[in-house]
Amino acid sequence: MRIGTQLGIPISKIVGGNSAEALAWKTWVEGNGGTISQALLDIFDINFFIPAKANGNILTELDRFNVYGGLVGFEIAARTNLIKNAHYVTPVSSPTFDNSGYRSSGTSYLNLNFIPSSQGVKFLRNNNIAGFVTKNPAFSNNYRGLGALDTNTGNARYEVSRDVSRLTGWNNSFAQRFNTNTVTSGYVFCANKRTAASGTGCEDLLINGNSSLTNNASSGDIGITHFELCININGSPTGSFDIVNHACSWHGSSNLDYTAFRTIVSNLLTALGV
Amino acid sequence: MKVLKATLKQKNALEGFYEEGYELKFIEDANGNWVVNDKVVNNGHFLSIREQLQALPLIDYVPKEVEL
């Protein structure tokens, strides 16, 4: 039994035990050598696992979803995927970890341990969405958000980055696409979505709910892991690191109910005090 | 911003995985130096190599411009 908002009481505690999904995630966190407090597990359950499962889409259309913000003292939980027991995130050279999530020092980053060509189940070459959330971000410089460039596989590239006055997305190494409707306050969702190999509107650069549909052909499948707070170029990070905190990030299918996902994630981040 | 500078030999000796799966990896700056975030010195995950890290000189970070 859960105490509901219909009683006018803020939801903060689960009575009768956590959902199977929340308990599975706790097991994965512990398997990685970490812990998660009961209070935080309840917050994740009430604000993510339960509504995501009720939606019927969110949990089945993602390969990975990590929440980095609001987990000070529980860093291993922040590095543990909420969707399945895989793609445990590796912090490389000490990125800053605080209540707002992870940010680069200018040389540090995250290895997502996610290789699209061999490990993407929902995130596929011509059907995908990936992104991250920052709070009050600037669009004043080139800050590479996440992705990879694999020149050994037909110049395959996938990237989502904040740039000067725009969000930039790459689906091949030849042409970038933009969304210039930047937002610099609140939680800002930055995402790149692809629904087909080519054709009108096959690529979409998303800033929150604002969509920028373009025609941009895809290229080869990426055979190296995606990095976050920078991109991976044939095994090495770029020079343009993201020095603004990422509160969370995800990879999944273009079939993800992005609107519902955004609402659920925003509520979760609010509940976590990010 | 300051970073720690290593020789190629030091870089090869120090790079790897440490406590709780934290990784240490140097990157090349604009001058061809192998550098890493100076905060690694105070990161408890790298405690086993702290002395070696403390011995590395601090230099100003000059990012390598990457045109992509």
Side-chain angles (χ1 to χ4, degrees):
Chain A
M1 171 186 156
R2 291 191 299 278
I3 299 171
T5 48
Q6 66 272 25
L7 301 175
I9 303 166
I11 297 176
S12 61
K13 186 173 176 60
I14 286 184
V15 180
N18 294 105
S19 68
E21 290 76 15
L23 292 172
W25 179 59
K26 183 185 178 190
T27 301
W28 304 335
V29 170
E30 290 170 349
N32 288 330
T35 59
I36 185 75
S37 71
Q38 187 59 48
L40 280 170
L41 188 65
D42 286 350
I43 288 175
F44 271 86
D45 209 1
I46 291 164
N47 296 281
F48 177 68
F49 289 112
I50 291 170
K53 189 176 183 184
N55 172 273
N57 167 284
I58 310 296
L59 297 180
T60 60
E61 296 299 336
L62 290 168
D63 280 324
R64 57 164 298 276
F65 173 49
N66 282 79
V67 173
Y68 306 132
L71 286 169
V72 170
F74 301 94
E75 187 176 0
I76 287 177
R79 295 163 56 191
T80 301
N81 186 1
L82 288 144
I83 304 301
K84 58 185 171 184
N85 193 13
H87 318 304
Y88 180 49
V89 172
T90 301
V92 183
S93 301
S94 204
T96 301
F97 177 67
D98 60 25
N99 192 60
S100 298
Y102 278 110
R103 68 177 181 275
S104 176
S105 61
T107 60
S108 51
Y109 55 97
L110 300 172
N111 182 341
L112 298 179
N113 293 309
F114 178 72
I115 303 171
S117 65
S118 59
Q119 298 175 324
V121 177
K122 294 297 175 180
F123 182 98
L124 303 174
R125 176 182 167 191
N126 294 318
N127 182 329
N128 58 58
I129 186 169
F132 56 88
V133 176
T134 58
K135 193 173 181 183
N136 305 329
F139 285 82
S140 58
N141 209 329
N142 179 217
Y143 299 118
R144 298 193 187 276
L146 64 79
L149 165 61
D150 181 2
T151 60
N152 298 311
T153 316
N155 288 314
R157 180 170 185 169
Y158 193 96
E159 181 178 339
V160 195
S161 291
R162 284 180 296 112
D163 214 325
V164 179
S165 302
R166 69 194 190 194
L167 181 71
T168 302
W170 298 78
N171 256 193
N172 61 56
S173 63
F174 313 113
Q176 52 190 317
R177 294 291 185 261
F178 310 110
N179 184 333
T180 57
N181 296 298
T182 57
V183 177
T184 55
S185 63
Y187 304 132
V188 178
F189 287 66
C190 300
N192 191 358
K193 177 178 174 180
R194 171 168 289 277
T195 54
S198 61
T200 304
C202 68
E203 186 176 357
D204 193 3
L205 268 293
L206 292 150
I207 300 175
N208 289 335
N210 185 270
S211 173
S212 179
L213 291 161
T214 66
N215 183 355
N216 190 15
S218 68
S219 59
D221 224 353
I222 294 173
I224 56 176
T225 178
H226 278 197
F227 287 169
E228 186 170 355
L229 305 176
C230 68
I231 70 165
N232 180 3
I233 305 178
N234 299 325
S236 297
T238 54
S240 305
F241 298 84
D242 198 343
I243 56 173
V244 175
N245 281 86
H246 287 201
C248 66
S249 71
W250 71 93
H251 283 72
S253 158
S254 71
N255 299 320
L256 175 72
D257 183 348
Y258 174 71
T259 302
F261 177 71
R262 202 158 61 83
T263 299
I264 289 170
V265 172
S266 294
N267 290 340
L268 174 61
L269 294 176
T270 300
L272 288 168
V274 177
Chain B
M1 172 186 163
K2 298 285 187 182
V3 289
L4 301 171
K5 175 187 167 186
T7 64
L8 182 60
K9 188 177 176 183
Q10 290 169 320
K11 166 193 173 306
N12 291 338
L14 291 169
E15 279 190 343
F17 290 89
Y18 293 89
E19 283 185 45
E20 296 182 338
Y22 256 72
E23 187 177 6
L24 185 76
K25 196 164 183 177
F26 290 79
I27 64 169
E28 201 170 15
D29 74 3
N31 299 316
N33 297 312
W34 291 108
V35 300
V36 73
N37 181 11
D38 63 341
K39 292 187 176 62
V40 297
V41 171
N42 297 318
N43 187 323
H45 295 93
F46 303 119
L47 195 60
S48 61
I49 53 167
R50 182 168 287 173
E51 282 187 20
Q52 293 98 307
L53 292 171
Q54 285 174 328
L56 299 177
L58 274 173
I59 63 170
D60 288 319
Y61 180 45
V62 186
K64 189 176 183 178
E65 296 299 327
V66 182
E67 287 296 330
L68 295 170

